[in-house]
Amino acid sequence: MFKTAMLALDLSPAEEPLLDFIPELLDWGVERLVIVHLVRSGYMPDSDDRKLEDATAWLEWRAAPLRAAGFQVSVSVRRGGVSADEILSAAAEAGVDLLVAGSRSQNLVNSLFLGSIARDLVRKTPLPLLLQWIEPDAQGATGRVSAVCTETLRRVLLATDLSKYASAAEQAAIALAGRASKIDCVTVLTRHAIDATPALTLMARAALDALVRQIEANGGHGEALVLEGEPIEVIQRLAQARWSTLIIIGKHGENWMQSMLIGRTALRLCEGAGRPVLLVPLPDG
């Protein structure tokens, strides 16, 4: 499903753990990697040209071990400043099908902090986005950070509301099934929804069982879980209890206004999951 991934690198502390994680994308089936760096344009063209040359040399240096690991790697340095719009524009031009970003950039204090670029990517991306969770080292004051999980496919949790907005996330889980050790499939029903539709629990169980059968037909192992409560709280507790190494979730909400941006459950998971999240939008059209 994912053949070409894009990683936007900056000079933040998150750079090293992201680069350390990237070789694992070979296990996802990624073959081609595009590394992009964005530089701000100034008022001195000669200085800008030097920045571009230095940045290109730096990216090539970063690309060398990734090529040695087995990726086809291309590098791109773009003027215009660091922004989600620039990253998405570069991704469209490069024809990538997966974006990779860290959960934080310069801020190392708040464990629930989502870096501003990552937050904008979460809101705007039309492409699947793998958000690697980055935490400060235990010492905290050193300014060093590390990835919480670097074996993302060891135990996957697919969170789905079984709506059409979750269908792309479900297909991503099915596509990764043969590469993941196990995929737990969960839907969380509120008490209000159950009271309104008494058969909803049985209907959800049947739909999840069918999803697990597709995962197993694709070479994976899965388990269906129908739980009751507030979705965000239940999903986070389940991910912690099962030591989930990756959460897959659809981007959009259940109604038109939510789907224009991002569903509340998806956004809150990206902000506070404490582990990698694969956010999967519906394809355009």
Side-chain angles (χ1 to χ4, degrees):
M1 178 176 184
F2 303 119
K3 296 298 183 183
T4 303
M6 171 171 281
L7 172 66
L9 285 186
D10 55 18
L11 296 175
S12 77
E15 173 193 321
E16 292 297 337
L18 275 176
L19 285 167
D20 290 343
F21 160 74
I22 289 300
E24 190 189 324
L25 291 180
L26 291 168
D27 296 334
W28 287 54
V30 173
E31 300 171 354
R32 178 173 166 249
L33 182 66
V34 180
I35 307 177
V36 64
H37 179 68
L38 308 174
V39 297
R40 296 187 184 281
S41 297
Y43 297 101
M44 300 175 64
D46 291 344
S47 175
D48 283 354
D49 290 343
R50 180 60 183 271
K51 286 180 183 178
L52 292 175
E53 291 174 4
D54 290 347
T56 301
W58 170 66
L59 286 186
E60 288 292 347
W61 172 60
R62 286 306 200 181
L66 297 174
R67 291 191 179 106
F71 290 106
Q72 304 169 32
V73 184
S74 58
V75 301
S76 173
V77 180
R78 297 168 66 96
R79 287 187 175 95
V82 181
S83 73
D85 291 334
E86 286 290 340
I87 294 170
L88 293 175
S89 176
E93 291 178 14
V96 307
D97 46 37
L98 176 67
L99 294 173
V100 183
S103 61
R104 68 176 70 236
S105 54
Q106 300 295 345
N107 188 318
L108 306 181
V109 178
N110 187 345
S111 64
L112 300 183
F113 180 81
L114 195 63
S116 59
I117 300 301
R119 176 182 284 273
D120 277 351
L121 283 174
V122 165
R123 291 185 179 278
K124 296 178 179 179
T125 181
L127 299 169
L129 170 64
L130 174 59
L131 190 67
Q132 175 59 273
W133 193 264
I134 306 294
E135 289 278 12
D137 280 356
Q139 293 81 1
T142 64
R144 294 179 59 84
V145 294
S146 58
V148 166
C149 176
T150 56
E151 298 179 16
T152 47
L153 296 182
R154 189 174 71 245
R155 183 146 193 173
V156 178
L157 177 63
L158 167 67
T160 173
D161 61 5
L162 302 172
S163 72
K164 67 178 182 180
Y165 298 112
S167 60
E170 294 169 0
Q171 290 304 309
I174 293 168
L176 290 170
R179 300 176 179 275
S181 299
K182 186 176 182 183
I183 299 180
D184 298 318
C185 302
V186 62
T187 192
V188 182
L189 307 177
T190 65
R191 169 47 54 185
H192 175 75
I194 294 172
D195 289 343
T197 309
L200 187 58
T201 299
L202 290 176
M203 294 164 59
R205 167 65 66 177
L208 282 187
D209 285 344
L211 186 55
V212 168
R213 287 195 293 273
Q214 292 183 71
I215 287 171
E216 292 174 344
N218 243 35
H221 302 280
E223 181 178 354
L225 300 161
V226 179
L227 304 177
E228 180 183 336
E230 291 302 316
I232 183 65
E233 297 172 3
V234 174
I235 292 168
Q236 287 182 326
R237 284 201 304 269
L238 182 64
Q240 292 170 359
R242 298 211 164 195
W243 297 92
S244 300
T245 54
L246 174 70
I247 298 174
I248 302 178
I249 192 167
K251 177 178 177 179
H252 299 296
E254 294 179 349
N255 59 52
W256 182 85
M257 286 301 293
Q258 285 181 342
S259 69
M260 290 296 290
L261 291 174
I262 177 172
R264 287 174 293 179
T265 300
L267 178 58
R268 288 181 62 190
L269 272 178
C270 289
E271 290 183 325
R275 66 205 69 241
V277 174
L278 176 62
L279 182 70
V280 189
L282 285 175
D284 290 339

